[in-house]
Amino acid sequence: MLQATRGTVKPSGNFNASADAEVLYKAMKGLGTDEDSILQLLVARSNAQRQEIKTAYKTLFGKDLVDDLKGELGGKFETLIVALMTPPLAYDVTSLRNAIKGAGTDEKVLVEILSSRTPQQVKEIVAAYRQEYDDDLEEDVCGDTSGHFKRLLVILLQANRQRGVQEGNIESDAQALFKAGEQKFGTDEQLFVTVLGNRSPEHLRRVFDAYMKMTGYEMEESIKRETSGSLKDLLLAVVKCARSVPAYFAETLYYAMKGVGTDDDTLIRVMVSRSEVDLMDIRTEFRRMFACSLFSMIKGDTGGDFRKTLLLLCGGDDA
């Protein structure tokens, strides 16, 4: 539970679900919508409290709060507010479903969620996916992906990573990865998939150190040289998350905003899903890695109520 205190969004102290429901109802009643009241209130409540507000709203007004919000808001601001109103587990499940079931597959979403969630969280996602859609997530992923990329996703979906550090295997794992990649003509992708998919983050960090000593290369450098496409992206995400999940998300946010156009979907997904988990740590890593604050980059890259809500979620500037 300790990690949960690293979020920027905290439960409101003097919380009254019915009073909040009244405020939201008034903000949407009549001509025009008071977007500011809506975003200020929802960002100041935890997700669990937002669920209570949803229930109170239906009890008081006989209407669905999320439906009303969708009717009043628009564009990426609406997407962000609806995401904030969705329970975290349901949000992951819906994100994965949309990534698989849309036109084409959004590999980026599969990579981001399955490489960064704990084995316990993955088990909960698989169970909730089955309950919600009466489908098997692994089967859906297999139907939409192929090759070693598919195999590594399937391994991650098993959520059976070894626990702790296997002292006796650190050197042999490093050696095996070296032989499978840098030392070999061509690459034994299967070995990368098996080792990186099945070992614990603590064990992998020790393997990466041993690999660096043995070869003079960081694991990420070797993966970039030895693999390509979706498999490369997934292997890199697994390695980065083994090193530091907040650093992985800091980098994800940076590249969502850098360059021409913003990847709003990624920006929304990461800011919402990490807001009660480790967004404080992500901010720290962002500042360390990119010599600017997450707050200032969001401010310069987005606009309107969308920007205002993201800045409130960010919870402060580390300039």
Side-chain angles (χ1 to χ4, degrees):
M1 198 52 210
L2 190 66
Q3 196 192 18
T5 58
R6 301 301 299 156
T8 52
V9 172
K10 304 275 194 278
S12 170
N14 49 357
F15 173 64
N16 181 326
S18 298
D20 285 351
E22 296 266 10
V23 171
L24 292 171
Y25 183 73
K26 281 184 188 137
M28 293 186 277
K29 195 168 170 275
L31 284 173
T33 307
D34 183 354
E35 285 91 352
D36 204 52
S37 292
I38 293 170
L39 68 90
Q40 294 280 355
L41 187 145
L42 292 179
V43 174
R45 306 292 182 267
S46 67
N47 192 286
Q49 290 176 333
R50 291 179 209 128
Q51 304 315 312
E52 288 185 50
I53 296 168
K54 208 191 286 187
T55 306
Y57 192 91
K58 189 165 267 186
T59 303
L60 289 169
F61 307 112
K63 300 170 82 180
D64 186 275
L65 174 55
V66 175
D67 287 347
D68 279 3
L69 288 165
K70 283 180 180 171
E72 294 292 327
L73 312 174
K76 52 194 182 180
F77 177 53
E78 177 197 325
T79 308
L80 175 54
I81 292 296
V82 171
L84 285 170
M85 290 302 304
T86 310
L89 179 57
Y91 188 54
D92 276 353
V93 167
T94 312
S95 299
L96 288 167
R97 179 73 169 190
N98 293 341
I100 299 165
K101 290 297 176 188
T105 308
D106 191 343
E107 279 102 355
K108 187 187 288 183
V109 177
L110 297 179
V111 167
E112 180 197 299
I113 293 177
L114 295 178
S115 64
S116 64
R117 303 305 188 254
T118 65
Q120 183 54 40
Q121 285 171 324
V122 172
K123 283 179 177 152
E124 288 166 9
I125 287 168
V126 170
Y129 189 95
R130 182 181 289 284
Q131 193 174 0
E132 183 64 29
Y133 302 111
D134 199 23
D135 279 333
D136 185 292
L137 178 55
E138 186 185 318
E139 280 176 24
D140 284 355
V141 165
C142 286
D144 244 44
T145 57
S146 60
H148 289 95
F149 177 60
K150 174 176 85 173
R151 290 179 195 177
L152 182 47
L153 288 171
V154 169
I155 289 174
L156 294 174
L157 282 167
Q158 303 314 300
N160 280 330
R161 280 181 180 273
Q162 294 171 353
R163 290 164 186 262
V165 178
Q166 273 76 41
E167 292 289 346
N169 293 345
I170 293 168
E171 289 294 325
S172 57
D173 279 350
Q175 189 85 48
L177 288 165
F178 181 49
K179 283 185 178 154
E182 299 285 359
Q183 212 175 25
K184 184 181 167 70
F185 183 71
T187 308
D188 179 356
E189 286 101 346
Q190 186 60 53
L191 192 120
F192 277 83
V193 164
T194 302
V195 172
L196 296 177
N198 282 299
R199 309 290 190 263
S200 72
E202 311 91 287
H203 181 84
L204 286 175
R205 288 194 291 273
R206 298 280 297 278
V207 172
F208 302 154
D209 291 345
Y211 186 87
M212 179 70 187
K213 279 197 190 112
M214 191 182 291
T215 65
Y217 299 125
E218 291 289 7
M219 182 53 67
E220 291 90 332
E221 293 175 71
S222 292
I223 288 169
K224 283 176 189 167
R225 267 200 298 276
E226 297 294 327
T227 61
S228 60
S230 301
L231 175 63
K232 178 186 80 173
D233 295 341
L234 183 54
L235 287 169
L236 284 173
V238 168
V239 169
K240 286 169 183 174
C241 286
R243 290 194 192 274
S244 163
V245 171
Y248 167 72
F249 279 117
E251 192 178 356
T252 303
L253 286 168
Y254 180 77
Y255 287 109
M257 291 183 279
K258 190 179 181 290
V260 183
T262 303
D263 180 352
D264 292 322
D265 289 341
T266 298
L267 189 54
I268 291 168
R269 203 171 47 248
V270 176
M271 291 296 288
V272 169
S273 64
R274 309 314 289 186
S275 61
E276 291 183 56
V277 183
D278 55 2
L279 196 48
M280 296 294 287
D281 297 326
I282 292 168
R283 273 170 42 183
T284 303
E285 290 295 336
F286 195 98
R287 187 78 188 80
R288 183 182 65 78
M289 293 161 79
F290 303 112
C292 69
S293 68
L294 176 59
F295 189 92
S296 64
M297 195 155 182
I298 291 170
K299 202 170 182 179
D301 201 69
T302 57
D305 293 317
F306 180 61
R307 173 172 70 182
K308 202 183 279 186
T309 311
L310 287 173
L311 290 175
L312 283 171
L313 274 180
C314 190
D317 195 352
D318 308 298

